[in-house]
Amino acid sequence: MGEYHYFPPAGYCGQWFDPIADWSFRGPTWLVSDADMDGGRCIEQMRLTEPAPRKAVPCLRAGDVMWEDYTVSAEVRVMIEAGFSGILFRYQTSMMHYGFFLVPGGVEVHRVDKLERTVLAHAEVPWNPDEYCTMSVSLDGDLIRCFLNGVPVLECRDGKFDSGCIALCACRPARYRKVSVEMTESRNRAFALKKQLQEEEEASARLRHLPAKLWKAIDLKDFGAARQIRFGHLTGTDEWFFVICQNQRKVYKDRYPVISCMTAVSVETGAVLWQIGEPCDSDEVEKLTTDLPFQIYDIDGDGADEVIASWDFRLMILDGRTGKIRKSVPTPVCEAPEETVTGLEFGRYAFKRLNVDAVRIVNVSGNDRPSDILIKDRYSRLWVYDSELNLKWEFSKYNTGHFPFAHDFNGDGRDEIFSCYNMVDSSGNLMWSLPIETDHTDEIIVGTFGQGQDERIAMVSGWEGFIIVSKEGEIILRDINGHGQRISCANYCPEREGYEIATTTYWGNNGIVYLHDCNGKEIWHREMLSNGNVIAPLNWDGNGSELIWMSAHEGAFDGEGNRVLVLPEDGHPEMCTEIADLTGDGRDEIVVWDRHRLFIYTQDGEAPEDARGVYRPVKYPCYNGSNYRGEYSFSRWE
C-alpha cells in the first residue's frame, strides 16, 4: 500500500522510524520487549536477513540528519554469531551511512553508499551472544573511533558523510537498550545554530507560496475506494466528474482484482451521476496495490467522454452520461503456454480469459487523435484494439512493466510502445530491447529534459535502478539508488538548466527521494519519514516553476528540498492524493481522499499577472490515469 498511498503503521512509534519495507517477511520486525526479565525493556530486531546488494538490512532510525560530531552508544546483545549487527551513525538514508558492527569473531566499521558496502576497519575481538556489550562511536570530523565495553577497538578516517542521525541495525535477532547520543556544549550550540538557520530559510521559502484553502468536500458515502480514480468530462460540457472504482480481489492477494462497483460523481456538486455494481463500505476495497482497468476518454470524438473499462472478462465502452454499455467484446483467451507467462501466480492460469490489469489510450493507427486501446495482464503480455474493439495486435517479451508508455518516437504519426525494457513499433514488432532481464519497469517518462538534448526515456525499474536511455536504446545513465518506484520531471529548480527529475524508492529501502538535474546527476537526497510519496509536479503558483507534491501528510517541497506547503489542519483525509487543474485557471488543485471523504484544495489567492500569459504546462493526460505512471510537467505559456 505504501507505494503510492500514505499508509502509516499502527500504534505508537515514539521518536523511532522504520525505513525498510520488506514484502517477503511476515513476522515481527522491531518490537519493544521485556525479554530480559529484569524489570527493564529493550528494543528487539527480529528479521532474518542475508546482507547482499539490492537487499535492505533492517534498521530503525532516530535523531536529526544535521548532527555532525557526536558520540552514540548503546547496550547491544546479538542473539547469534552471524551476519552483522550494531549501530549506524552519520546516517543520511538507509542506503547512505556508516555502521559499527559486531561480526563473528570481531568488530567492523562499514561505509554504505547505495549498493557499495565497504569495510573500513576490522579487529578480532571476542564477544558473547549471551551477554550485552556496550558499543560506542565517537565522531570528530573525519575521525571515527569505536569502543567495545569502554575499550578502544577500532579507529579510521573517512570523509564521505559529514553529518547524519543514528539508527539501530541488525541482520539477525538482536536486543538494544540504553541508547544515547551526546555532544559537547560547543558542538550542540553549532548544531542548534545550523538548525535554526535551516528552519528560518524554510520559513522564508514558505512565504513565497500561497497557502491552501479547502475548495470542495465530497461525501463518498459507501462507494469510496483507494487510489482508483479518474477525472473527465462525462456530459460533454466543461463540468468535471470523477469515476471511482471499488474492487473485489480474487484467487490470490491482489493479483486478480476485478471492478465491483463504479461510481461517477460531479466535482462541482458531489452528486452521483450514475453507479454500476453494488458498493461496499469495507476497508477491503482500500487494500489494493495494483491498477484497476478503466479510463475516461472521448474515444469516438463526439465531444463527451466515455468510460473504457474491463469488467467480468469483457472489454467495454460505457456511455459517459449514463454508464450504459455501448460496445463490448470478450477479453482474449489465455492461450500462451503457461511456462512462458511472466509473473503467472502458481505457474498456471486461473481463468480461461484475461483478467485485465490496466488500460491505456494510444495511437498506433496514425489517426488525428488517440483512439486505440491498449490492455495488458499483470506482467507478461499486452494487446491493442481499435476504437471499435477490433484486435489489432498483441505482444510479449519477458515483462510488460506496470504501465507501458506510448509516444511517436520516429515522427511517423503513429505511437511506438515502450514496455518495460522493450521498444515496440506501431504494428507490434520488437524494435530493440535494453540488455536487462531482471525486475521490471515501474514508471516511465519521455521528453527533452535539457537544452540541446534529443528526446530521452527516463524510468525507474525497481532494483535495476534509475535509468535514462536514448530513443534508440542506448543507456545514457544508470544509478541503482534503491528500488526505484516513482519518477517525475518538471521545472523544480528554475535557476538550473532544463528540467529536474525526481525519483523515490519503496521496496526495501523505503521513501528515499532523490532530485537529479536534466542529465541525471544527483542534486540532493532525502529520506522521508513516511511512505506514499507520489512526487507529483504541482503547478501551485502559476509562475513557471513547480513544487514536488509528496502526500497529504507531508505536503509539498521546493527544488531546494524545503517543505513549503502543507494542507490546513482541518482533519482532511491523508491516504490518497492526486493533482489536477480543476478550476481552469492553469494552476493545479490538490485532491486528497480516503474511503469516506474527498477534499479538494486550491490556492488562497490569485496568480500574479505575467507578461508571458497564463502558465499551463504540458502534463500527463488525465485520460491515462494509473498508479504507475511517471509524472511530467513541461513548460508552456498561453
Side-chain angles (χ1 to χ4, degrees):
M1 289 293 289
E3 286 182 342
Y4 40 77
H5 301 86
Y6 174 62
F7 205 75
Y12 174 68
C13 298
Q15 63 188 321
W16 298 95
F17 175 72
D18 181 355
I20 306 301
D22 189 343
W23 65 270
S24 66
F25 202 80
R26 293 294 183 265
T29 306
W30 295 97
L31 52 86
V32 176
S33 171
D34 58 359
D36 294 325
M37 300 179 67
D38 59 2
R41 295 191 179 183
C42 60
I43 288 179
E44 288 189 296
Q45 196 290 120
M46 285 288 109
R47 280 185 186 167
L48 300 174
T49 302
E50 294 301 324
R54 297 175 170 85
K55 180 67 174 177
V57 179
C59 53
L60 191 67
R61 65 169 277 179
D64 197 301
V65 293
M66 295 178 68
W67 288 347
E68 293 179 350
D69 292 340
Y70 54 85
T71 297
V72 55
S73 64
E75 292 185 3
V76 183
R77 180 183 173 190
V78 181
M79 312 304 290
I80 186 172
E81 290 186 87
F84 56 81
S85 301
I87 50 179
L88 307 183
F89 53 96
R90 286 191 176 156
Y91 173 108
Q92 299 187 2
T93 75
S94 62
M95 296 195 74
M96 296 179 180
H97 55 257
Y98 298 105
F100 176 36
F101 297 114
L102 298 173
V103 300
V107 291
E108 291 180 344
V109 175
H110 295 187
R111 180 186 65 222
V112 175
D113 186 11
K114 298 180 182 174
L115 289 188
E116 183 180 348
R117 179 179 292 272
T118 304
V119 177
L120 300 178
H122 172 88
E124 298 294 323
V125 179
W127 55 273
N128 188 345
D130 293 326
E131 299 175 352
Y132 279 93
C133 55
T134 300
M135 304 181 69
S136 302
V137 180
S138 178
L139 304 170
D140 184 5
D142 66 353
L143 178 61
I144 301 168
R145 294 184 296 158
C146 300
F147 304 82
L148 191 65
N149 297 321
V151 178
V153 289
L154 289 175
E155 183 175 304
C156 61
R157 290 185 179 274
D158 192 86
K160 178 67 176 182
F161 306 123
D162 58 7
S163 64
C165 61
I166 64 105
L168 316 179
C169 178
C171 55
R172 289 293 188 273
R175 297 177 184 174
Y176 294 83
R177 64 186 186 188
K178 298 183 181 179
V179 181
S180 69
V181 179
E182 298 177 351
M183 292 181 189
T184 64
E185 289 290 346
S186 61
R187 286 170 174 170
N188 189 54
R189 285 194 297 270
F191 160 70
L193 177 60
K194 185 177 179 181
K195 186 72 172 177
Q196 179 184 348
L197 292 175
Q198 187 268 338
E199 290 174 348
E200 289 175 353
E201 178 183 345
E202 187 165 274
S204 176
R206 191 174 296 129
L207 293 175
R208 296 194 285 269
H209 306 277
L210 291 170
K213 67 176 181 180
L214 182 63
W215 181 53
K216 300 287 182 182
I218 297 175
D219 182 2
L220 298 181
K221 301 180 177 63
D222 59 354
F223 56 78
R227 207 165 179 267
Q228 306 292 341
I229 196 169
R230 307 286 187 265
F231 291 87
H233 301 284
L234 297 177
T235 59
T237 68
D238 291 335
E239 182 178 3
W240 280 101
F241 291 83
F242 65 85
V243 171
I244 191 166
C245 286
Q246 294 182 338
N247 78 96
Q248 187 176 56
R249 292 173 293 163
K250 298 187 176 182
V251 184
Y252 178 66
K253 298 200 303 185
D254 54 6
R255 292 296 189 264
Y256 296 93
V258 298
I259 296 173
S260 57
C261 181
M262 179 182 289
T263 308
V265 182
S266 166
V267 169
E268 180 63 32
T269 66
V272 173
L273 179 65
W274 48 261
Q275 185 177 81
I276 305 171
E278 182 177 345
C280 177
D281 187 12
S282 164
D283 63 0
E284 286 299 308
V285 302
E286 295 175 351
K287 296 175 183 176
L288 186 65
T289 68
T290 69
D291 274 336
L292 285 177
F294 71 110
Q295 301 291 357
I296 298 177
Y297 181 64
D298 182 9
I299 195 72
D300 58 7
D302 67 352
D305 285 342
E306 287 75 47
V307 177
I308 298 91
S310 180
W311 195 325
D312 193 26
F313 306 105
R314 300 192 71 82
L315 178 62
M316 56 188 69
I317 299 174
L318 309 178
D319 187 286
R321 298 179 180 86
T322 65
K324 303 296 184 183
I325 298 174
R326 286 189 179 180
K327 294 185 178 71
S328 172
V329 296
T331 60
V333 174
C334 296
E335 296 177 318
E338 292 171 326
E339 65 273 12
T340 69
V341 180
T342 302
L344 189 62
E345 300 299 340
F346 308 111
R348 51 188 181 272
Y349 292 122
F351 306 108
K352 172 185 174 181
R353 292 191 177 275
L354 174 69
N355 187 72
V356 176
D357 175 74
V359 172
R360 184 186 179 103
I361 308 303
V362 302
N363 184 11
V364 301
S365 298
N367 298 321
D368 293 338
R369 55 193 296 277
S371 60
D372 301 313
I373 301 167
L374 180 152
I375 65 173
K376 61 183 287 289
D377 64 5
R378 183 65 176 157
Y379 288 119
S380 187
R381 300 159 296 168
L382 58 87
W383 295 257
V384 175
Y385 292 76
D386 65 18
S387 59
E388 298 297 321
L389 302 186
N390 299 305
L391 178 64
K392 294 180 70 68
W393 50 263
E394 63 181 276
F395 176 84
S396 178
K397 185 179 185 298
Y398 170 59
N399 201 307
T400 61
H402 282 299
F403 198 59
F405 197 98
H407 182 71
D408 181 10
F409 288 94
N410 60 14
D412 68 351
R414 301 170 185 263
D415 283 343
E416 286 72 50
I417 308 296
F418 184 71
S419 176
C420 195
Y421 309 127
N422 305 306
M423 183 67 80
V424 184
D425 71 14
S426 57
S427 299
N429 303 306
L430 178 67
M431 299 172 66
W432 52 259
S433 296
L434 296 178
I436 305 172
E437 293 185 350
T438 57
D439 218 318
H440 57 258
T441 297
D442 286 282
E443 294 192 350
I444 305 163
I445 52 177
V446 172
T448 303
F449 306 132
Q451 294 180 356
Q453 294 180 0
D454 290 332
E455 283 186 319
R456 294 178 173 181
I457 306 165
M459 69 195 85
V460 281
S461 300
W463 275 111
E464 292 301 330
F466 163 49
I467 309 170
I468 299 178
V469 305
S470 71
K471 59 185 179 180
E472 292 79 27
E474 175 193 2
I475 295 178
I476 298 169
L477 176 138
R478 187 175 183 188
D479 183 10
I480 302 177
N481 55 17
H483 179 110
Q485 189 66 44
R486 301 193 65 87
I487 189 169
S488 69
C489 178
N491 191 19
Y492 293 130
C493 302
E495 72 283 358
R496 288 180 173 269
E497 176 198 341
Y499 298 105
E500 289 70 49
I501 302 171
T503 65
T504 189
T505 63
Y506 187 62
W507 294 110
N509 307 87
N510 171 31
I512 306 173
V513 175
Y514 298 90
L515 190 67
H516 311 84
D517 68 14
C518 61
N519 295 306
K521 182 180 178 181
E522 183 181 317
I523 301 172
W524 52 258
H525 57 260
R526 178 174 186 149
E527 184 174 86
M528 306 300 296
L529 302 185
S530 63
N531 56 29
N533 297 294
V534 298
I535 61 168
L538 175 63
N539 173 26
W540 189 252
D541 302 298
N543 61 6
S545 65
E546 313 227 4
L547 303 178
I548 307 171
W549 176 249
M550 299 291 183
S551 68
H553 178 75
E554 291 287 355
F557 290 70
D558 66 15
E560 301 299 319
N562 297 306
R563 190 186 190 199
V564 295
L565 178 67
V566 293
L567 298 182
E569 295 182 2
D570 54 6
H572 56 74
E574 291 190 322
M575 184 173 69
C576 306
T577 189
E578 190 64 271
I579 300 299
D581 176 14
L582 298 175
T583 64
D585 68 352
R587 298 178 296 175
D588 288 327
E589 277 63 57
I590 300 167
V591 186
V592 298
W593 72 98
D594 57 20
R595 197 171 83 246
H596 294 120
R597 301 170 304 155
L598 182 144
F599 286 14
I600 305 176
Y601 291 88
T602 192
Q603 299 82 6
D604 192 3
E606 298 298 320
E609 291 190 7
D610 195 298
R612 294 169 289 184
V614 177
Y615 183 63
R616 297 183 188 273
V618 177
K619 295 209 170 194
Y620 213 121
C622 65
Y623 59 75
N624 273 327
S626 170
N627 290 315
Y628 298 100
R629 72 179 199 178
E631 300 287 353
Y632 57 80
S633 186
F634 298 134
S635 298
R636 180 179 64 184
W637 291 88
E638 292 184 350

